[in-house]
Amino acid sequence: MRIGLDARYATDHFPGIGRYTLGLAQGLAELGLVQRLLLIVDQNVAVGRYNLAALARLPGVELVPVKVGPFSLQQQVVLPLVARHLGLDLLHSPYYVKPYVGLPCPSLVTIFDLNGWRFPHSLSWRGRIFYRATMALAVRTAALVITGSASAQADLAHVYRLPAERMLVTPLATERRFQPQEPAVIASMRERYELPPSYVLYIGSDKPHKNLERLVCAWGQVVAAGAHSGMPLVLAGHATGGAERVRQRVSTQQLDAYVRFLPNVADSDLPALYSGATIFAFPSYYEGFGLPPLEAMACGTPVLCANATSLPEVVGDAALTVDPFSTHALAEGLIKLLNNPQLRRDLSARGLQRASTFSWRRTAMATMAAYEALVDCRL
């Protein structure tokens, strides 16, 4: 079987898709069941945090450079020609902007969430039109839609009236490097980023649904109660257009001395950054899966997160979950964890166990079964 996996979205601009693409590709290669796994890459994009070349050293994996970007209209012609030339049995796209017509083989699409449907105000009117048109085309032209959680599956079923047999839930997982780090590694990371011995951490983008303004307000209540013990709230991750809005909130709350911004942290430093945190806080009120809490748990860090959408599926009983729309509930949760070392130790142990139940091998096995079923139906 010759499987095409569109890896053109494995770039710094799409951190979640990049993680998924690399994790799935490595899991598929290690299974050894694919005759050839062909990763389609954009040769015009500079190498970023995702080392696709390293995957090409795995058995059965090959990089296929193309000269067309993932948002180019030309891909509607170029990729079907590439698929035909490669003799693909199917093409898997990890994003909804994909080839819609002319493919010589079945296609799958992974859709992580319906953020543009849930929060249309986050897009311009042109963005809304583009999002709805391309999403509908992706859903209607794919033989199978893969998503990461039952919550996202329910959204897809509701909006697009998709029957269960056209959807598959394959949870994401963490890379093996996400594990508790040695004290020397953590100390070196702290020195580079000038972090104190204790801090509360958030990692993710600064998009509105990530709820960072409410987290900042909650942190203000923690500071006012004197429960922070001098430690800062560290906001790290992919910086987008929302950073200035969050910074203004920090200034308005007079929290400049109690909040640190670490935009675009080196990917190699994330395991140590998680491991060194006293608490990982993730107040997002909409997630198709929610990978950062899982990465934090895999590093042994106690997690506080929202009790919304897919997050309870990810953390189970291994995190303290709170109402993300209540600043008071967020603050109470933080104070509870900061004041209770035993609870933090308990959540750390449960988080490690919970994270171990997710693996890219399991995700790859479920995805491979879907590949085989689609190819068998075509034969």
Side-chain angles (χ1 to χ4, degrees), residues 18-294:
R19 288 250 197 281
Y20 172 79
T21 302
L22 264 69
L24 177 61
Q26 183 161 345
L28 288 169
E30 291 175 354
L31 284 179
L33 299 176
V34 179
Q35 178 188 357
R36 207 73 183 153
L37 179 61
L38 300 144
L39 301 181
I40 299 170
V41 298
D42 185 354
Q43 67 184 52
N44 297 318
V45 174
V47 176
R49 70 179 68 184
Y50 302 112
N51 188 4
L52 295 170
L55 289 176
R57 295 193 287 270
L58 296 173
V61 180
E62 179 183 338
L63 297 188
V64 180
V66 296
K67 295 182 179 180
V68 58
F71 288 101
S72 170
L73 191 60
Q74 289 179 309
Q75 73 169 323
Q76 301 300 326
V77 175
V78 173
L79 256 64
L81 291 174
V82 169
R84 193 176 302 277
H85 173 73
L86 296 173
L88 296 184
D89 291 300
L90 65 84
L91 176 66
H92 185 170
S93 299
Y95 194 64
Y96 58 88
V97 181
K98 59 180 286 293
Y100 304 116
V101 296
L103 286 170
C105 59
S107 69
L108 295 82
V109 64
T110 298
I111 296 175
F112 295 96
D113 58 53
L114 291 184
N115 198 22
W117 274 102
R118 286 275 195 125
F119 309 106
H121 58 275
S122 65
L123 302 171
S124 67
W125 68 267
R126 287 188 180 91
R128 286 194 293 272
I129 293 172
F130 178 80
Y131 174 86
R132 295 193 177 192
T134 53
M135 183 69 80
L137 282 168
V139 169
R140 300 306 176 197
T141 60
L144 186 71
V145 177
I146 295 177
T147 194
S149 66
S151 172
Q153 182 188 43
D155 279 353
L156 284 161
H158 174 71
V159 174
Y160 294 105
R161 300 293 188 264
L162 280 175
E165 61 269 20
R166 285 199 56 217
M167 294 185 289
L168 174 68
V169 175
T170 60
L172 280 66
T174 63
E175 299 170 59
R176 297 185 183 98
R177 64 195 179 94
F178 286 97
Q179 56 183 288
Q181 301 295 294
E182 295 295 329
V185 175
I186 297 172
S188 175
M189 177 277 302
R190 283 177 177 151
E191 183 177 358
R192 286 195 302 279
Y193 291 103
E194 299 180 345
L195 292 174
S198 299
Y199 55 89
V200 173
L201 177 66
Y202 164 85
I203 293 179
S205 75
D206 48 33
K207 294 178 180 178
H209 69 276
K210 298 297 186 178
N211 209 19
L212 294 190
E213 290 183 78
R214 194 171 275 116
L215 176 61
V216 166
C217 292
W219 188 244
Q221 293 185 17
V222 174
V223 170
H228 68 300
S229 302
M231 69 180 73
L233 170 65
V234 176
L235 303 178
H238 183 59
T240 66
E244 186 57 36
R245 185 187 64 253
V246 179
R247 288 180 183 274
Q248 288 176 357
R249 178 66 66 179
V250 169
S251 296
T252 300
Q253 298 289 313
Q254 298 182 332
L255 294 171
D256 300 83
Y258 305 99
V259 178
R260 284 282 312 277
F261 288 88
L262 290 181
N264 304 319
V265 173
D267 204 55
S268 58
D269 285 329
L270 291 180
L273 189 62
Y274 280 122
S275 298
T278 303
I279 300 168
F280 179 73
F282 198 72
S284 176
Y285 49 75
Y286 183 67
E287 293 292 323
F289 181 78
L291 194 53
L294 188 62

